[in-house]
Amino acid sequence: HMARIPYFDLEQASGPLKERIGSRPPLKIYRMIAHGGDAGEGFLALGSALLRDNELDDRLRELVILRVGILSRADYEVHQHKRVAERVGVPKEKVEALYDGPDAAIFDQTERTVLRFTDQVLFDVKAGPSLFEAVNRLLPHRQLVELLMTIGYYMMVSRFLENLEVDIEGEEL
């Protein structure tokens, strides 16, 4: 299986893009994003802000990203973020429970509420008033906004990866 378009030759990337990609692990997603030029740079900058400069709890963020990846059937995304989730301390049992949905017994009330919100934003665009209020009570405004940006960003990432059929590292054959 091969990606649907060739991976970008990073030698041809602009200085700022090369710099932004050079500081990261050599993943195939970056060699695809590089086709986007300035937009690719913005794509990476937003991803960095959500992953590195976040106030939203890392474990909660990874549960949300994985749920979006699972619902989007984006294997590459799920593969990469299972590793990130493990690194930030999400128990394997919680990762596995994401396949069952937000109401799995293993999730605490905060996780359940945030995951229900994630599902509603992904499927219905706008969360209903009671669910929105529940999340608004749980999270300060900055974290609520980061949560919405994270859901939207990883919906975009998942659709990007799936449509270009980006290969999971080590599984190109």
Side-chain angles (χ1 to χ4, degrees), residues 2-5 32 159-167:
M2 287 287 292
R4 284 175 158 175
I5 65 173
M32 217 39 113
R159 283 145 186 81
F160 181 87
L161 289 163
E162 285 304 302
N163 280 285
L164 294 171
E165 296 183 358
V166 175
D167 302 289

Side-chain angles (χ1 to χ4, degrees), residues 20-160:
R20 197 171 276 286
I21 291 173
S23 66
R24 296 161 181 259
L27 299 179
K28 291 193 172 67
I29 183 174
Y30 303 134
R31 290 177 48 211
M32 217 39 113
I33 289 169
H35 279 294
D38 289 352
E41 211 184 315
F43 188 106
L44 293 169
L46 180 54
S48 278
L50 293 171
L51 288 174
R52 300 194 175 95
D53 308 318
N54 55 305
E55 284 185 10
L56 185 65
D57 178 78
D58 288 345
R59 292 177 302 276
L60 202 51
R61 180 201 67 216
E62 288 306 314
L63 288 172
V64 166
I65 292 171
L66 284 166
R67 184 67 181 155
V68 169
I70 289 164
L71 292 173
S72 302
R73 296 183 298 282
D75 294 340
Y76 184 105
E77 187 51 42
V78 172
H79 171 80
Q80 293 298 351
H81 277 272
K82 277 182 176 175
R83 295 159 61 184
V84 180
E86 190 178 358
R87 206 161 56 235
V88 300
V90 178
K92 272 199 168 39
E93 299 74 36
K94 282 191 179 180
V95 170
E96 288 312 304
L98 288 168
Y99 290 92
D100 301 326
D103 297 319
I106 196 166
F107 298 123
D108 66 30
Q109 195 52 53
T110 297
E111 292 164 338
R112 197 168 295 128
T113 303
V114 166
L115 289 168
R116 281 185 189 139
F117 181 79
T118 300
D119 282 23
Q120 220 168 80
V121 170
L122 190 144
F123 288 118
D124 302 332
V125 180
K126 186 177 183 180
S130 62
L131 187 52
F132 182 86
E133 267 319 305
V135 174
N136 195 22
R137 279 193 302 275
L138 279 172
L139 300 176
H141 293 157
R142 173 165 170 170
Q143 290 182 32
L144 172 62
V145 168
E146 283 183 6
L147 172 61
L148 279 165
M149 288 180 174
T150 299
I151 295 165
Y153 182 78
Y154 283 94
M155 286 174 70
M156 175 172 64
V157 168
S158 294
R159 283 145 186 81
F160 181 87

